[in-house]
Amino acid sequence: MTVPKTEEILRVAPQSVPDFIRSHANARTLSRLVKRLNRELLDSDRRVRDMAAAALAHLGFADQVTL
């Protein structure tokens, strides 16, 4: 299974997110996917950062620590 692009992640229907995460965890690609999104958050231009943050939020991952 390949690691989907950020745009592809954002097109996953909300009700399909649990199955998407489960299938990538089983295929051992979830870690690479999250690492890539985190790298985009840190090293990219504003548009790419915003899309990466939206993709992480869409998957249910926080992109910031809140206290």
Side-chain angles (χ1 to χ4, degrees):
M1 178 178 282
T2 62
V3 177
K5 296 181 181 184
T6 306
E7 297 86 358
E8 295 168 330
I9 295 167
L10 291 169
R11 287 194 297 261
V12 173
Q15 66 272 18
S16 298
V17 168
D19 288 333
F20 176 88
I21 290 174
R22 190 174 10 265
S23 67
H24 281 279
N26 289 339
R28 304 177 80 81
T29 55
L30 185 61
S31 177
R32 282 187 281 157
L33 184 153
V34 173
K35 282 181 186 179
R36 197 200 64 233
L37 291 172
N38 284 331
R39 194 170 44 252
E40 289 176 1
L41 276 174
L42 297 173
D43 298 335
S44 301
D45 65 35
R46 183 170 187 82
R47 182 188 66 80
V48 174
R49 282 194 315 263
D50 290 348
M51 286 182 60
L56 285 167
H58 184 62
L59 295 175
F61 297 106
D63 65 337
Q64 296 180 0
V65 176
T66 56
L67 302 175

